[in-house]
Amino acid sequence: MKRIPFVVAAGAVAISLVLTACTTAPPTPTASSTTTSAPKASTLRVWAGSSTPITVDFNPFHVDTALFGTYGPIYEPLFFYNQLSADPPTPMLGESFTYSADGRSVTIKLKPNVKWSDGEPLTADDVVFTLGYGPNKSDKMVSATATDATTVDVKYSTPQFTNESQLLGATMIVPRHVWSKVSNYMKETNAKPVGSGAYVVKTTSDASYTFTANPNYRDGAPPISDVQYLGLDSNQSGQDMLTTGQIDWTGMFVANPDTVTGDGAIATMNQQQDPTVIVTCSDAAKGCKGAQTDPAVRQALNVAIDRPALAEKAWAGLVGEANPAFVLLPRDQQWLGDPSLAPSPQSPNAAQAGQILEAAGYAKNAKGFYAKDGKEVDLDLFSPDGWTDYNDAAKLIAEEAGKAGIKVTARTVSEAEYWTPVTNGDFQLAMYGLTQSLVADPFSNYDQYFYGKSTAKVGDAPTRGQNYSRYANPVVDAAVEAAGATNDPAAKKAEYAKIQAQISKDLPYIPVVLNASQAFFNTKGFTGWPTDDNLYADPLPYLSVAPAIVLLHLKPVS
């Protein structure tokens, strides 16, 4: 399971996590204790991964703690980029956009007569304000100007072709008349958000929160009048409530999906996209502590893993093969520089792991574990309690590492205890899920997770991006800058090849599998869900923006 809200700064990226094929969230009420009276037919009940007690937070700048539904149903970007399709982006607040020939400026045309949920007009001034506010500020943006009520001109110091989907598809537009009065945007929980999306907040509690139709929505009230997001204790509770008709939509790992879909009321889709990894706190210079700061230790652990065994035992064979270039294959095949980097090693090789460590000055001690300068390699690997696929995978990884002489201890923590150390860097190894790029181009992966400006020293959370490994490599940083400044496919591929060569050697994120991103939804009570023949949006309720598109397609069955 993996938390994901995907939010981006203009010219930077501030992704908020999501949930994927993991298996659950932390302690919360059982299925029976969260059951409420049957809602009216137009209420859609969702478990997107929230645990209880739910903390009210609809701040679109809180990339780690904003509640599901903040991105898309409440706050919207200018356009929707469907990661399951190569089609052009779908207009949301924006109507059209045009890049200059050199990529240094973009003109955005907004839809006319759009209102915020409080009835105030949404204009180009709001977009200009958003692009210069908080983490959206980009050191490459020279200016953002509202030339009229529905036109915005943005100018940059460098070409921004590659940044298109982040600027236009992952920057949530906020109302100037609200946020200009917020003195500290990071301390604001935004309990009563004013957005432009199809929904507004109706009620909140520590067990659930409900959205209702926005009366000022530009396209009229959506057919689904209310959306209730539940908090649950585990995947098992979610599965039980799904099969008993108490949940209509969820995204979670189910080893035997036929047990859920057998009676025909629930349908499922599994898009294998997002890499499950071991994220390492990799840079000692930034305050990371432990043997994992040595690339040789990360390389040895990488070849010690039995990925096919993990796929079968932890994920019931429902996952795909990850790769150290962090491209989605076959979608991104054109961007893979070295074919040998697809996929990650599939057979464990304890001998090779030992050779890597011994070449780096390690030797086995009396207990059979590798040590250096009298200090044994002793690594801590943790995952959120109840995310059973991650928990099982961590145990298997620890066992396989031990066979190669690498001591790894797997443990579980509550979800609250998981996010804080990952975000602040107070950890050694953690099971983690990365978010795949929105378009058939891995640029956002490299910018979000590997770019030096997307990280921070231990103790601080990144102000942009999700580089929780604290990774910084000058070759990678220069290549990310160069790739973002060109619209030439050959030149971009050459820069990507430099990035891939470095990150596959440094391994700040050790790829494990492509996660089983299973969505389950009630087709008996609601129509309009994505299908294999009509993948208009990814049907995972914990994503950013895509759930809003799905909600607009749904209709209750009378």
Side-chain angles (χ1 to χ4, degrees):
M1 183 192 255
K2 167 184 98 178
R3 247 178 68 90
I4 295 180
F6 183 87
V7 188
V8 180
V13 183
I15 290 190
S16 147
L17 302 177
V18 181
L19 143 303
T20 63
C22 268
T23 343
T24 163
T28 47
T30 61
S32 59
S33 65
T34 47
T35 302
T36 58
S37 58
K40 52 188 177 180
S42 58
T43 297
L44 184 80
R45 296 157 300 179
V46 184
W47 182 48
S50 295
S51 61
T52 57
I54 292 172
T55 299
V56 176
D57 186 347
F58 296 106
N59 184 334
F61 304 107
H62 285 176
V63 297
D64 296 319
T65 59
L67 291 173
F68 297 107
T70 300
Y71 307 105
I74 294 179
Y75 292 101
E76 300 176 297
L78 296 164
F79 296 86
F80 168 61
Y81 286 76
N82 183 1
Q83 64 193 88
L84 302 181
S85 169
D87 293 339
T90 301
M92 293 188 76
L93 294 175
E95 190 171 70
S96 64
F97 64 91
T98 306
Y99 272 81
S100 62
D102 64 0
R104 294 175 185 265
S105 64
V106 57
T107 299
I108 305 163
K109 193 70 176 177
L110 304 180
K111 290 179 178 178
N113 304 316
V114 176
K115 292 182 179 180
W116 293 106
S117 58
D118 63 358
E120 291 291 319
L122 189 159
T123 70
D125 286 336
D126 293 299
V127 177
V128 169
F129 172 79
T130 299
L131 297 185
Y133 186 78
N136 290 334
K137 294 179 182 178
S138 168
D139 56 5
K140 297 180 180 63
M141 190 175 77
V142 175
S143 65
T145 307
T147 57
D148 60 42
T150 59
T151 307
V152 177
D153 283 336
V154 191
K155 299 186 184 303
Y156 294 91
S157 59
T158 60
Q160 294 292 298
F161 293 114
T162 309
N163 197 47
E164 176 192 315
S165 65
Q166 299 176 43
L167 169 67
L168 302 175
T171 303
M172 302 299 128
I173 307 303
V174 299
R176 179 175 184 170
H177 68 280
V178 173
W179 287 91
S180 62
K181 300 174 184 177
V182 176
S183 58
N184 188 329
Y185 71 89
M186 288 306 294
K187 291 185 177 181
E188 177 62 47
T189 58
N190 197 30
K192 297 180 180 179
V194 175
S196 61
Y199 291 91
V200 295
V201 176
K202 182 179 182 179
T203 60
T204 60
S205 74
D206 61 0
S208 70
Y209 55 98
T210 301
F211 293 170
T212 195
N214 175 7
N216 292 310
Y217 186 58
R218 59 186 174 274
D219 296 327
I224 305 299
S225 64
D226 291 277
V227 182
Q228 182 185 29
Y229 289 83
L230 303 174
L232 297 178
D233 63 332
S234 68
N235 247 29
Q236 189 58 56
S237 294
Q239 185 173 338
D240 292 343
M241 293 181 72
L242 185 67
T243 55
T244 56
Q246 299 174 74
I247 290 177
D248 301 304
W249 188 15
T250 188
M252 61 181 173
F253 178 71
V254 177
N256 298 300
D258 289 348
T259 62
V260 175
T261 62
D263 65 0
I266 302 296
T268 185
M269 294 184 71
N270 180 12
Q271 304 292 330
Q272 298 166 346
Q273 302 175 77
D274 299 322
T276 292
V277 302
I278 302 171
V279 59
T280 75
C281 194
S282 64
D283 191 349
K286 286 188 171 61
C288 297
K289 297 178 180 180
Q292 82 289 343
T293 59
D294 186 344
V297 172
R298 303 195 296 268
Q299 293 164 8
L301 184 57
N302 180 56
V303 299
I305 297 173
D306 187 343
R307 290 175 173 84
L310 288 175
E312 288 299 322
K313 295 178 180 179
W315 283 282
L318 297 171
V319 294
E321 294 180 347
N323 63 76
F326 288 89
V327 294
L328 179 60
L329 300 176
R331 188 194 74 173
D332 302 340
Q333 187 67 49
Q334 65 168 319
W335 303 119
L336 182 63
D338 182 353
S340 71
L341 297 182
S344 292
Q346 295 299 300
S347 299
N349 194 326
Q352 184 181 1
Q355 292 168 2
I356 292 170
L357 291 172
E358 288 164 13
Y362 293 83
K364 281 189 176 181
N365 60 19
K367 294 183 289 185
F369 292 115
Y370 279 98
K372 186 176 184 179
D373 299 328
K375 190 170 184 178
E376 184 177 84
V377 175
D378 189 355
L379 300 173
D380 176 76
L381 171 62
F382 73 110
S383 58
D385 183 38
W387 294 20
T388 55
D389 49 348
Y390 278 20
N391 303 157
D392 292 344
K395 292 175 184 176
L396 291 167
I397 288 168
E399 292 173 7
E400 293 158 3
K403 296 175 184 177
I406 306 169
K407 185 177 180 181
V408 175
T409 301
R411 64 185 176 94
T412 63
V413 298
S414 72
E415 188 174 357
E417 293 172 306
Y418 173 82
W419 291 109
T420 298
V422 167
T423 302
N424 294 336
D426 184 19
F427 72 101
Q428 293 179 331
L429 307 174
M431 296 299 299
Y432 188 76
L434 272 60
T435 308
Q436 191 54 257
S437 56
L438 288 175
V439 294
D441 185 324
F443 177 78
S444 65
N445 292 349
Y446 302 145
D447 179 72
Q448 288 294 301
Y449 300 112
F450 298 95
Y451 186 43
K453 292 184 179 180
S454 295
T455 194
K457 68 181 185 299
V458 170
D460 294 333
T463 56
R464 69 178 300 279
Q466 258 181 289
N467 186 349
Y468 295 135
S469 71
R470 271 62 195 173
Y471 179 69
N473 180 312
V475 175
V476 171
D477 291 351
V480 169
E481 295 273 2
T486 182
N487 201 31
D488 180 345
K492 189 155 57 172
K493 182 174 182 178
E495 298 302 331
Y496 287 168
K498 297 175 187 177
I499 295 170
Q500 292 162 11
Q502 294 295 314
I503 65 176
S504 62
K505 179 182 66 175
D506 293 341
L507 293 167
Y509 304 88
I510 301 173
V512 181
V513 295
L514 278 186
N515 220 335
S517 300
Q518 296 167 283
F520 296 90
F521 37 86
N522 179 355
T523 55
K524 185 177 181 180
F526 301 89
T527 64
W529 299 101
T531 65
D532 290 331
D533 296 327
N534 185 17
L535 291 171
Y536 62 82
D538 194 317
L540 291 168
Y542 52 73
L543 293 179
S544 169
V545 187
I549 303 299
V550 174
L551 287 171
L552 291 173
H553 279 74
L554 297 183
K555 294 181 180 179
V557 175
S558 58

